[in-house]
Amino acid sequence: MPRHIESRTQATCVAYFRRRYPQYAKLLFAVSNGGLRRLREAQIMKAEGVTVGVSDLILLVARDGWNSLCIEMKWESRKSQLTKAQKEWQELAMAAGNKCVTCRSLEEFKKEVDTYLSAPEE
């Protein structure tokens, strides 16, 4: 059930983003790291570059000294926490000049994205 809540929230956030920022619609995309896979499929995906811990959504727009905005979606329960792999990936991504945030609702997503995109371009 929580996975579906997170999925619906993410879909709502993407729909909001595409309506609000049509000029950047194709620059916000999902990374399909989650879900159960058959062993062979998981092996193929890993060989192709799927990396554990990568954020759910990535916005390839530079702002305010950041190269991109990486968004990890979690469901609203505080029991839904970042995994060790997600924390490690965020640290690496930030060290490489990317902003990483976690959003638990459409309201949090709007705040993060609107603030990020209102910052000056660099």
Side-chain angles (χ1 to χ4, degrees):
M1 176 80 156
R3 174 71 187 134
H4 297 293
I5 294 169
E6 185 179 308
S7 176
R8 284 194 303 267
T9 301
Q10 182 171 321
T12 301
C13 291
V14 170
Y16 161 79
F17 182 86
R18 291 187 173 154
R19 279 190 315 273
R20 175 78 171 87
Y21 300 103
Q23 70 275 34
Y24 301 126
K26 292 183 180 181
L27 295 175
L28 176 72
F29 58 90
V31 177
S32 296
N33 274 356
L36 296 175
R37 310 263 192 242
R38 293 185 181 167
L39 178 60
R40 182 67 185 134
E41 183 181 7
Q43 291 170 332
I44 290 169
M45 291 176 74
K46 186 174 180 179
E48 290 175 342
V50 169
T51 302
V52 174
V54 173
S55 292
D56 295 311
L57 294 168
I58 298 179
L59 175 59
L60 290 181
V61 176
R63 284 290 187 277
D64 201 23
W66 298 106
N67 299 317
S68 70
L69 177 63
C70 304
I71 305 163
E72 180 61 38
M73 299 299 301
K74 292 293 182 189
W75 57 296
E76 290 190 77
S77 168
R78 291 295 166 192
K79 293 178 185 175
S80 177
Q81 298 294 322
L82 294 176
T83 66
K84 181 180 177 186
Q86 289 168 331
K87 290 175 186 175
E88 289 172 356
W89 187 86
Q90 284 187 350
E91 289 173 13
L92 290 170
M94 290 183 72
N98 303 284
K99 183 172 184 177
C100 297
V101 298
T102 301
C103 294
R104 297 176 179 280
S105 66
L106 175 61
E107 292 72 27
E108 285 184 15
F109 176 87
K110 285 180 179 181
K111 180 183 174 208
E112 292 290 351
V113 169
D114 293 348
T115 300
Y116 182 81
L117 288 176
S118 67
E121 294 181 40
E122 288 193 14

